[in-house]
Amino acid sequence: MFVMLAVQVFVNLGAVTGLLPITGVTLPFISFGGSSLTLLMLAAGILTNVSMFNTYTQTYKSQSVEQAYIRNV
């Protein structure tokens, strides 16, 4: 996701400063482009969900394994 955002920012800022030809790429989360904004929000939501799921499994999965071991002993 970072690379996707970085490329869009580079192309947009290059076009604004005149270093690159104007391509119509929107500035992420700033410029209003309906499909671009929608897909960026979706990608950010998926990335946040994956991060939260990993944190949850690392925190609570180890505790449940320990509790199951204690119950069996």
Side-chain angles (χ1 to χ4, degrees), residues 45-55:
I46 290 171
L47 189 64
T48 303
N49 190 13
V50 168
S51 174
M52 288 175 52
F53 181 75
N54 285 338
T55 302

Side-chain angles (χ1 to χ4, degrees), residues 18-37:
L19 298 174
L20 295 172
I22 297 175
T23 59
V25 175
T26 60
L27 189 60
F29 300 113
I30 305 296
S31 301
F32 180 76
S35 59
S36 175
L37 184 61

